């Protein structure tokens, strides 16, 4: 037997965290890491946040799970808070981002079905998109590394270059249901859409009766300094997938929609055994409590500006390595002139700094949203130490 007990689908690194505290992770041998990856934009409140820990512990002792066959005071309460804070009129809770995307796709198809247009089933999506790993979600991207060997995939998707409005509009036909897009591509290389692109998609939806479906699984929930990234653009979706930060580390996702867009999602059309159970709702309430504290998002914005300025100052000193800074708030990307995965490994193994690589040789910088100036200073020292001694490999 050579296969590992854990199915070997991840190339796991040597960091083996067993404990976390604030912005730090601790490995089996007690080594300390500065965590500017946050479980890929999940640990919005850092590790072991007392409010989140207490909410989960209290709820676990009170009521962990009941079926969605029963009334859900917990779900109603959190859904109402999300409705009050966003464009949405209704919320479906899931356990992951991919499931939130699945619900978004199903909601979009059911909308046109309910309108008597079942042929309008195709969502236009974008090159280098990442929407998760279910068969539906991998069908919604054209990235070969996620699709190869899993065919036949789901029909009903068309692919345009990201941020190319004319190409997206040219794909609209009688079968189009709408657009599915990340306002800021995460895995694909930390690429923000241009305002013209997102606004153009919204206008096309209004003109042709299509749905704008946003995937804010990574860029949403305070990450950019706004509650949701689309607020940066002044663009409102019809349907939106949310996850990652929403549970602060507890598996939770949500599909948000307007009343009109959700008109087809009647009793019996969708479901989830765990989705929105009391334990998940307690985690979601605690995260939202912190995000809605006065000044919290402003602080994310301020720390984002400081972190960006730090990175921009560093580029001229290491211009053989770094090209530009991308992103908003605490969702930043440092574009490299060589392999970003190798540099991320160097930062991790030699400087105890955790970052995440993304497409296009971008280093993703996704610290917990609760960082302060001292963490940025520590990050800056570690990153410049790492850059000073790093020797990139030619042609990689
Ligand atoms: C992470 C991610 C997903 C998938 O979320 P899972 O919880 O892994 O299923 C979907 N869309 C985007 C933009 C993501 O970043």
């Amino acid at each position: 037997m050579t296969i590992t007990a854990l199915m070997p689908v991840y190339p796991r690194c040597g960091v083996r965290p067993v404990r976390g505290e604030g912005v730090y992770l601790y490995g089996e041998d007690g080594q300390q890491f500065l965590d500017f990856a946050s479980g890929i934009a999940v640990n919005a409140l850092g590790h072991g946040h007392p409010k989140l820990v207490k909410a989960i512990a209290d709820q676990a002792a009170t009521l962990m799970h009941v079926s969605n066959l029963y009334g859900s005071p917990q779900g109603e309460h959190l859904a109402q808070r999300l409705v009050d804070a966003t464009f949405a009129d209704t919320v479906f809770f899931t356990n992951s981002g991919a499931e939130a995307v699945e619900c978004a796709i199903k909601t979009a198809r059911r909308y046109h079905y309910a309108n008597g247009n079942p042929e309008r089933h195709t969502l236009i999506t974008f090159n280098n998109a990442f929407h998760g790993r279910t068969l539906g979600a991998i069908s919604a991207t054209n990235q070969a590394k996620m699709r190869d060997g899993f065919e036949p995939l789901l029909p009903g998707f068309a692919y345009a270059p990201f941020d190319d409005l004319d190409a997206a509009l040219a794909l609209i036909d009688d079968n189009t249901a709408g657009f599915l897009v990340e306002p800021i591509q995460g895995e694909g290389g930390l690429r923000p859409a241009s305002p013209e692109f997102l606004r153009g998609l919204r206008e096309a939806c209004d003109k042709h009766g299509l749905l704008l479906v946003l995937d804010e699984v990574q860029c949403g929930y305070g990450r950019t300094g706004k509650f949701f990234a689309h607020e940066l653009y002044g663009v409102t979706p019809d349907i939106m997938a949310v996850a990652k930060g929403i549970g602060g580390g507890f598996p939770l996702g949500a599909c948000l929609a307007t009343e009109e867009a959700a008109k087809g999602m009647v009793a019996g059309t969708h479901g989830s055994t765990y989705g929105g159970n009391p334990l998940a709702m307690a985690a979601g309430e605690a995260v939202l409590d912190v995000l809605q504290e006065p000044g919290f998002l402003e602080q994310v914005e301020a720390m984002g500006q400081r972190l960006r300025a730090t990175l921009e100052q560093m580029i001229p000193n290491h211009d053989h390595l770094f090209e530009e800074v991308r992103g908003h708030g605490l969702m930043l990307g440092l574009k490299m002139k060589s392999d970003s995965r190798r540099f991320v490994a160097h930062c991790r193994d030699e400087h105890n700094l955790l970052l995440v690589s993304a497409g296009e040789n971008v280093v993703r910088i996704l610290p917990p949203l609760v960082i302060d100036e001292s963490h940025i200073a520590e990050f800056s020292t570690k990153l410049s130490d790492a850059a000073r001694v790093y020797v990139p490999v030619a042609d990689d």
Side-chain angles (χ1 to χ4, degrees), residues 75-93 107 236-240 255-263:
E76 285 167 9
H77 192 264
L78 184 57
Q80 188 61 52
R81 289 182 72 187
L82 292 172
V83 164
D84 290 344
T86 65
F87 73 95
D89 302 310
T90 193
V91 181
F92 181 85
F93 289 112
T107 303
T236 309
D238 303 294
I239 302 172
M240 177 170 71
C255 174
L256 280 63
T258 63
E259 179 168 19
E260 175 67 10
K263 72 205 281 186

Side-chain angles (χ1 to χ4, degrees), residues 96-98 130-132 182 215 217-218 244:
S96 68
F130 182 73
H131 298 297
E182 298 159 82
D215 181 345
V217 168
Q218 190 162 152
K244 293 207 163 92

Side-chain angles (χ1 to χ4, degrees), residues 317-337:
N317 300 334
H318 308 282
D319 60 358
H320 63 299
L321 291 181
F322 306 138
E323 207 166 292
E324 58 161 349
V325 185
R326 303 171 168 184
H328 291 277
L330 292 174
M331 183 176 186
L332 294 175
L334 184 57
K335 177 148 174 64
M336 297 204 60
K337 294 179 175 170

Side-chain angles (χ1 to χ4, degrees), residues 10 40-42 94-101 129-134 137 181-187 215-219 241-244 251-253 331 364:
Y10 280 102
I40 316 187
V42 168
T94 69
N95 314 292
S96 68
E99 288 169 288
V101 169
F130 182 73
H131 298 297
R133 299 295 198 144
T134 59
V181 61
E182 298 159 82
I184 303 175
Q185 284 195 333
E187 313 284 326
D215 181 345
E216 292 226 21
V217 168
Q218 190 162 152
C219 63
V242 182
K244 293 207 163 92
L252 176 61
M331 183 176 186
R364 265 183 293 179

Side-chain angles (χ1 to χ4, degrees), residues 10-129:
Y10 280 102
R12 293 173 188 272
C13 71
V15 176
R16 299 166 63 83
V18 291
R19 189 167 68 82
E21 209 179 297
V23 186
Y24 299 95
L25 279 177
Y26 297 88
E28 281 173 317
D29 306 329
Q31 323 93 301
Q32 187 193 59
F33 297 89
L34 181 67
D35 184 9
F36 269 41
S38 306
I40 316 187
V42 168
N43 302 102
L45 308 186
H47 302 282
H49 192 286
K51 286 190 179 149
L52 180 57
V53 170
K54 181 171 190 312
I56 292 173
D58 288 352
Q59 188 63 47
T62 306
L63 181 64
M64 207 179 300
H65 176 84
V66 295
S67 164
N68 281 313
L69 296 172
Y70 305 114
S72 175
Q74 305 86 359
E76 285 167 9
H77 192 264
L78 184 57
Q80 188 61 52
R81 289 182 72 187
L82 292 172
V83 164
D84 290 344
T86 65
F87 73 95
D89 302 310
T90 193
V91 181
F92 181 85
F93 289 112
T94 69
N95 314 292
S96 68
E99 288 169 288
V101 169
E102 289 283 337
C103 181
I105 295 168
K106 289 178 75 173
T107 303
R109 287 190 176 182
R110 276 294 289 203
Y111 167 77
H112 292 294
Y113 172 88
N115 281 343
N117 303 312
E119 77 287 354
R120 296 175 75 165
H121 47 54
T122 294
L123 284 167
I124 296 169
T125 69
F126 296 91
N127 292 356
N128 289 322

